[in-house]
Amino acid sequence: MAGLWVWTAVLVAARRRGRRLPQPLMRSAALWTLKTFDKILIANRGEIACRVIKTCKKMGIKTVAIHSDVDASSVHVKMADEAVCVGPAPTSKSYLNMDAIMEAIKKTRAQAVHPGYGFLSENKEFAKCLAAEDVVFIGPDTHAIQAMGDKIESKLLAKKAKVNTIPGFDGVVKDADEAVRIAREIGYPVMIKASAGGGGKGMRIAWDDEETRDGFRFSSQEAASSFGDDRLLIEKFIDNPRHIEIQVLGDKHGNALWLNERECSIQRRNQKVVEEAPSIFLDSKTRRAMGEQAVALAKAVKYSSAGTVEFLVDSKKNFYFLEMNTRLQVEHPVTECITGLDLVQEMIRVAKGYPLRHRQADIPINGWAVECRVYAEDPYKSFGLPSIGRLSQYQEPIHLPGVRVDSGIQPGSDISIYYDPMISKLITYGSDRTEALKRMEDALDNYVIRGVTHNIALLREVIINSRFIEGDINTKFLSDVYPDGFKGHKLTESERNQLLAIASSLFVAFQLRAQHFQEHGNSRVPIIKPQVANWELSIKLHDEVHTVIASNSGPTFSVEVDGSKLNVTSTWNLASPLLAVNVDGTQRTIQCLSREAGGNMSIQFLGTVYQVHILTKLAAELNRFMPEKVAEDTSSILRSPMPGVVVAVSVKPGDMVAEGQEICVIEAMKMQNSMTAGKTGKVKSVHCKAGDTVGEGDLLVELE
């Protein structure tokens, strides 16, 4: 065990010199030299598997990775000491295949299993299988998983433990008719949710009877697909709430702590997008009350591991129990940043039987941490429909101060339809919220992701939004701020001029580099260098054409944009994916994503990708004679907006459909999406059937 040997050497050396180590080092030494397990199998994939492996390496514990056949070359497989294939790509045949995983445990003689989050992390049957083989489950006991994994039972237990709960129906909803009856009794709006659910799957908000029927259908289908359990419950939907959760930690000796809160209100489709710790909204009194109730619930179920109690908090700081997640949360890094604890390490120690090392008074709030979930998604479609592809270029901004990236990918990794589209968790830490947010802004600008569509534009807009900065947020933040959908960053006049000046400088820099290459090439015909003092350019941005005059002196370009003069300075390393530029004293980091000979250039600026069309004055004049491509009329066709699997098709050729009527249902990353008709008409042809795998842009249905 590497960690044990290192600390043993440190202690021996100190004793030989007759010295004592400082108290913090003594505590760390004691921690690292405590024996836990020799080998742990991680029953997960991606970033969370890598995260667990990192802590195991620090503790000197050998690790075993499991993987599907398509994940054979994944980062978590390469990081682990051993790896075992547990089946083909579909999760039901690999990462949820308990028989194959149990066989891998026997084969590798792993003493314990860390389940990460998702998959089998809250599966009581899996925990029982491990116990039967005398393998330690690094998580709570099965009775706690069962009690808290069922939303109906957990709500009853919360009430008994005197935890504030949301008004609702404490039972399983049998069918759509009963759902409507219950919803009317509770009063609209209501939340329909999977009893065994989590991660936003199997959840729908209903504002009337029709939405309740649809919500019952979709939620039960999603619940069956994601959890193998289609039971649903209904409760009052608290309008405009904040989603704030308390991290708890318990041991097998009856001790439990709350490790402060995380604000997770920025969500889309009930899934978190941006999280932070602590919450800007809570005062110390409310924080303590929530923490004490969370601990009361943990003790009521004899909870022994890291877990999270989630609450909805209204504008008056009234809070209501939502659910308890009996596992490590996706957003646990922000808690680690402000407390200094390694939660994976604590889980391993507790699983071995050690008591907690800390008292409640020892848990600090040091600084501020923010986490952005970076997804392979198109944020311009419903705030994020999945994107698939191969990462042709990938570079994390870990060179910046106060930045942490939890990921499980590398250049060349594939984002497929089989698994969650998360690329990474980007975390920034600062002495206060302002510093943490500024570091996040810089980190997003310096994050290079090529080959898939990603949501960095949306993340960056959220963290610089005035409402977010002021702390005026709730779970409806995205729909409130962007009622017509996300459109990207809206440039001010100054920012527009900066972008045009940068684009024109890039254009000239590329031209000068090409000339330099020609001059130093082996051409048989001597090339006379054209003497160009000023470059007269025409730049099209957002259907507006701007006249630009650019000239350069060394690394500095002087650019006149519509009468405004700007100076742009950079190293102009055109081979680098990142380019730091200074525009009249303002520092910007931009990415030139693509450049075509015809003048089209794609630039990522302030997080958003802008398409600019740059031509010389002469080329622009000649371009007027080029025919324009007529846009396709898409009102009569339905194409898939995302890759996924067709779950159901509701029409056939000859059927009449009304505008907005459901035509088919596509499941992407375990979420069901209803595809509707764009206009009223007759179905001409259907190009898909239930069970088909479709890609983004594939033709589904044609109307006459």
Side-chain angles (χ1 to χ4, degrees):
M1 297 174 69
L4 188 152
W5 284 112
V6 169
W7 278 112
T8 300
V10 171
L11 290 168
V12 169
R15 285 171 184 158
R16 282 177 179 170
R17 294 183 177 91
R19 298 175 182 172
R20 284 181 58 85
L21 289 172
Q23 197 62 33
L25 283 180
M26 287 295 292
R27 284 197 295 269
S28 296
L31 170 63
W32 288 110
T33 54
L34 284 174
K35 182 173 174 58
T36 54
F37 304 102
D38 295 324
K39 186 184 292 186
I40 291 176
L41 181 141
I42 297 96
N44 218 298
R45 66 179 298 280
E47 66 86 13
I48 189 58
C50 295
R51 164 72 188 90
V52 175
I53 291 171
K54 286 177 182 177
T55 287
C56 287
K57 285 183 180 296
K58 291 178 183 177
M59 299 178 74
I61 301 171
K62 291 184 182 296
T63 54
V64 179
I66 61 167
H67 63 89
S68 64
D69 53 9
V70 298
D71 273 347
S73 299
S74 294
V75 176
H76 78 282
V77 173
K78 295 176 181 178
M79 286 180 64
D81 297 293
E82 300 175 59
V84 179
C85 182
V86 289
T91 55
S92 60
K93 298 178 180 179
S94 52
Y95 296 103
L96 293 175
N97 186 345
M98 282 192 275
D99 291 339
I101 295 172
M102 292 304 299
E103 188 62 34
I105 293 167
K106 292 176 184 176
K107 178 181 177 182
T108 59
R109 297 182 180 179
Q111 299 165 312
V113 171
H114 196 299
Y117 54 74
F119 293 141
L120 298 172
S121 62
E122 295 176 284
N123 188 305
K124 62 181 183 294
E125 296 305 321
F126 181 56
K128 287 179 180 177
C129 287
L130 294 175
E133 296 295 330
D134 200 26
V135 176
V136 177
F137 179 73
I138 302 176
D141 293 334
T142 53
H143 72 274
I145 297 174
Q146 180 172 340
M148 293 295 101
D150 187 305
K151 287 186 171 62
I152 297 169
E153 186 178 350
S154 66
K155 190 173 179 180
L156 295 173
L157 282 167
K159 282 183 177 180
K160 190 175 180 181
K162 297 183 179 179
V163 177
N164 304 342
T165 57
I166 302 171
F169 175 70
D170 297 329
V172 178
V173 184
K174 297 176 183 176
D175 53 38
D177 290 335
E178 186 177 41
V180 170
R181 179 181 61 77
I182 293 168
R184 288 175 178 175
E185 290 176 359
I186 296 172
Y188 288 110
V190 297
M191 174 71 83
I192 302 168
K193 60 170 71 172
S195 176
K201 295 178 176 65
M203 296 176 67
R204 287 289 191 283
I205 300 167
W207 295 81
D208 54 38
D209 291 355
E210 184 180 354
E211 289 186 1
T212 299
R213 292 183 186 279
D214 287 343
F216 181 89
R217 177 164 64 101
F218 285 124
S219 292
S220 59
Q221 289 172 355
E222 286 177 5
S225 174
S226 298
F227 314 112
D229 184 344
D230 64 356
R231 294 177 303 146
L232 302 176
L233 66 129
I234 299 179
E235 61 190 20
K236 180 71 176 177
F237 175 66
I238 299 173
D239 204 8
N240 298 321
R242 301 176 84 106
H243 185 132
I244 301 176
E245 59 193 30
I246 300 291
Q247 175 73 58
V248 295
L249 185 64
D251 63 21
K252 299 180 186 298
H253 305 276
N255 304 306
L257 304 169
W258 49 276
L259 309 180
N260 302 311
E261 79 280 3
R262 295 186 288 258
E263 171 86 57
C264 307
S265 297
I266 308 299
Q267 304 180 2
R268 52 98 177 93
R269 298 191 301 279
N270 300 309
Q271 289 184 311
K272 302 162 189 172
V273 179
V274 178
E275 303 104 347
E276 60 182 309
S279 167
I280 194 173
F281 184 64
L282 293 192
D283 52 48
S284 58
K285 181 181 177 182
T286 309
R287 175 179 295 114
R288 176 174 291 277
M290 292 175 71
E292 288 175 350
Q293 286 198 17
V295 165
L297 181 60
K299 288 186 174 181
V301 292
K302 298 179 181 178
Y303 196 84
S304 58
S305 191
T308 300
V309 181
E310 301 190 350
F311 293 95
L312 291 181
V313 185
D314 66 20
S315 59
K316 297 180 180 178
K317 293 187 174 69
N318 297 310
F319 57 91
Y320 304 93
F321 170 72
L322 183 62
E323 63 181 341
M324 183 176 188
N325 290 307
T326 55
R327 53 171 168 79
L328 193 65
Q329 288 279 89
V330 175
E331 57 274 19
H332 75 274
V334 291
T335 295
E336 293 184 326
C337 286
I338 67 165
T339 62
L341 272 67
D342 182 325
L343 291 178
V344 174
Q345 190 178 57
E346 299 298 329
M347 292 177 76
I348 293 171
R349 292 184 71 256
V350 167
K352 185 62 177 176
Y354 293 111
L356 296 181
R357 299 179 296 136
H358 303 91
R359 297 172 301 170
Q360 191 62 57
D362 297 332
I363 306 302
I365 297 181
N366 289 328
W368 210 284
V370 180
E371 175 178 292
C372 285
R373 298 193 188 188
V374 181
Y375 283 103
E377 290 181 337
D378 186 345
Y380 300 94
K381 296 178 181 178
S382 301
F383 300 113
L385 291 185
S387 169
I388 62 172
R390 177 166 294 174
L391 291 165
S392 56
Q393 201 166 4
Y394 182 72
Q395 185 175 305
E396 296 173 351
I398 52 177
H399 61 285
L400 300 176
V403 173
R404 166 178 168 177
V405 182
D406 283 16
S407 69
I409 57 172
Q410 61 189 358
S413 290
D414 287 310
I415 306 295
S416 73
I417 64 171
Y418 298 110
Y419 311 117
D420 189 273
M422 183 188 287
I423 293 174
S424 73
K425 301 181 308 196
L426 177 63
I427 306 104
T428 56
Y429 174 76
S431 58
D432 55 28
R433 191 170 188 258
T434 300
E435 185 176 45
L437 289 177
K438 180 63 177 72
R439 286 178 169 176
M440 179 60 74
E441 190 178 334
D442 293 340
L444 289 167
D445 284 341
N446 282 269
Y447 208 147
V448 178
I449 304 171
R450 311 280 171 85
V452 296
T453 306
H454 54 75
N455 67 333
I456 280 180
L458 175 63
L459 296 172
R460 196 182 190 283
E461 284 304 293
V462 168
I463 65 163
I464 66 170
N465 183 274
S466 58
R467 271 188 55 181
F468 181 82
I469 291 171
E470 292 164 7
D472 178 18
I473 59 178
N474 55 51
T475 55
K476 291 173 60 182
F477 178 87
L478 290 179
S479 57
D480 287 348
V481 174
Y482 309 107
D484 300 319
F486 180 66
K487 307 295 183 184
H489 181 72
K490 187 175 180 180
L491 294 168
T492 63
E493 183 178 350
S494 173
E495 290 170 345
R496 183 204 65 191
N497 289 344
Q498 287 182 15
L499 174 58
L500 294 174
I502 292 169
S504 57
S505 300
L506 272 172
F507 177 84
V508 175
F510 277 117
Q511 296 297 320
L512 293 174
R513 185 180 71 168
Q515 288 179 9
H516 181 77
F517 175 77
Q518 289 175 331
E519 292 164 13
H520 293 80
N522 296 317
S523 174
R524 295 180 181 180
V525 180
I527 296 174
I528 300 173
K529 180 179 178 181
Q531 298 297 320
V532 180
N534 295 311
W535 294 74
E536 294 184 63
L537 306 174
S538 175
I539 306 183
K540 187 177 181 181
L541 172 67
H542 295 154
D543 296 326
E544 293 183 354
V545 178
H546 304 267
T547 300
V548 174
I549 299 174
S551 62
N552 82 296
S553 175
T556 300
F557 284 84
S558 296
V559 185
E560 185 176 321
V561 181
D562 295 339
S564 298
K565 293 184 178 180
L566 301 94
N567 292 315
V568 183
T569 304
S570 177
T571 58
W572 304 111
N573 180 1
L574 302 180
S576 172
L578 295 169
L579 195 62
V581 297
N582 188 295
V583 186
D584 284 346
T586 300
Q587 196 69 31
R588 302 289 190 195
T589 300
I590 64 110
Q591 299 183 40
C592 183
L593 304 181
S594 65
R595 184 180 67 90
E596 298 174 3
N600 290 318
M601 191 181 293
S602 178
I603 299 175
Q604 186 172 313
F605 175 70
L606 301 177
T608 296
V609 177
Y610 295 94
Q611 307 296 332
V612 295
H613 190 227
I614 308 179
L615 296 172
T616 62
K617 184 179 179 181
L618 175 60
E621 290 173 354
L622 296 174
N623 192 58
R624 292 188 291 114
F625 300 102
M626 296 292 290
E628 289 189 13
K629 184 178 179 181
V630 179
E632 178 187 16
D633 179 12
T634 59
S635 62
S636 297
I637 59 175
L638 176 66
R639 294 186 183 275
S640 177
M642 80 212 89
V645 176
V646 179
V647 175
V649 179
S650 309
V651 298
K652 62 183 183 300
D655 287 353
M656 290 298 298
V657 295
E659 182 180 350
Q661 180 179 332
E662 180 179 291
I663 287 180
C664 63
V665 176
I666 293 180
E667 183 178 283
M669 275 76 172
K670 301 299 182 183
M671 297 293 284
Q672 306 237 339
N673 303 273
S674 176
M675 303 292 105
T676 58
K679 70 173 187 178
T680 299
K682 182 185 286 188
V683 177
K684 178 182 178 182
S685 58
V686 178
H687 298 268
C688 63
K689 63 181 183 299
D692 284 356
T693 299
V694 295
E696 182 179 355
D698 284 2
L699 181 62
L700 302 175
V701 174
E702 286 184 276
L703 303 179
E704 290 183 357

